[in-house]
Amino acid sequence: MIAMDALWTFALMVGLLTLTPGLDTALVLRTAALGHRRRAWGVVLGIQSGTLVWGVLTSLGVTALLTASHLAYETLRWAGAAYLVWMGGRLLWATWRRSVDERPTPTGSGPEAKTGKGADDTLLGGWRQGMATNLLNPKMGAFYVAVLPQFIPADAPHLAAGVLLAGVHILLAVIWACALIALAHVLRDRLQRPSARRVLDRITGTVIAAFGLRLALGE
């Protein structure tokens, strides 16, 4: 199968990648900080489902076709960029619309009540968002194409080895997500204040939109 030293090297590589602040971190932290714990775990599961899909497709050689085809790669790149800019822009626009309306009410029937523990706090909704964010990022596929084959021995079953490596990546990412959600839970009371929420949403929206613009510009 895969030698232990190669497995540790891969774990170190993807561990450092996971710890690097980026789109996934911003998305999980923002969702959990607003008290949407079910949705936050849905986002985590969606992102890691996408990671597993990339691992399987890379093991089967499908993602190599994606990176080899300029049209396929560009189509996915622009779709991902448009999705991220739309998602980030929607967050930024919502902060301006909520600047007056987002106030706590004695009956708990205001906008904060609807977004705190209501319809937004769904596991499935978070899973869809996390899955789409991951799968519409062609750089994730390019990373797996560049890295995964180096750790799969020629005589090993590629699918099983690829799933094992993706599983290591997923395990480390879930551990990091647990730390992020725990941190968000500690800071939840402060971050759920209307002013703090607006700042958090503006930062997260800017980060997500910036990733989309970088993806569109091919950086």
Side-chain angles (χ1 to χ4, degrees):
M1 198 59 170
I2 303 175
M4 283 303 299
D5 57 341
L7 204 58
W8 282 112
T9 302
F10 178 80
L12 177 61
M13 182 180 298
V14 295
L16 292 174
L17 178 67
T18 299
L19 291 175
T20 302
L23 176 61
D24 293 351
T25 298
L27 194 57
V28 172
L29 191 57
R30 182 260 174 190
T31 306
L34 296 182
H36 302 163
R37 297 196 71 180
R38 287 194 297 270
R39 186 178 181 90
W41 279 113
V43 170
V44 173
L45 292 174
I47 291 171
Q48 302 320 317
S49 296
T51 299
L52 181 60
V53 170
W54 283 119
V56 170
L57 293 179
T58 302
S59 303
L60 297 175
V62 176
T63 47
L65 298 177
L66 170 66
T67 55
S69 170
H70 179 73
L71 178 59
Y73 184 86
E74 287 297 300
T75 300
L76 184 59
R77 182 170 70 87
W78 281 105
Y83 175 74
L84 293 177
V85 170
W86 170 79
M87 184 164 61
R90 189 177 65 166
L91 274 176
L92 292 172
W93 174 248
T95 63
W96 297 109
R97 294 188 61 183
R98 287 199 310 264
S99 59
V100 175
D101 296 332
E102 192 177 53
R103 293 189 298 266
T105 59
T107 59
S109 60
E112 192 69 26
K114 294 179 182 178
T115 56
K117 295 291 183 181
D120 284 350
D121 192 16
T122 63
L123 189 73
L124 182 59
W127 181 84
R128 286 197 299 259
Q129 186 179 39
M131 185 82 160
T133 302
N134 189 286
L135 290 182
L136 287 174
N137 184 4
K139 291 188 176 182
M140 184 69 179
F143 171 79
Y144 263 47
V145 168
V147 172
L148 225 62
Q150 300 181 36
F151 293 91
I152 300 178
D155 57 344
H158 282 208
L159 180 59
V163 169
L164 173 62
L165 292 172
V168 171
H169 190 180
I170 290 170
L171 176 62
L172 294 174
V174 169
I175 292 173
W176 176 236
C178 288
L180 291 175
I181 292 175
L183 174 63
H185 182 70
V186 171
L187 300 176
R188 182 181 58 184
D189 290 340
R190 295 180 181 179
L191 294 176
Q192 283 187 334
R193 296 171 184 170
S195 58
R197 177 175 176 176
R198 284 194 296 272
V199 171
L200 179 63
D201 279 0
R202 285 171 186 172
I203 293 174
T204 306
T206 301
V207 169
I208 292 174
F211 269 91
L213 291 174
R214 286 184 59 188
L215 190 58
L217 295 174
E219 297 181 3

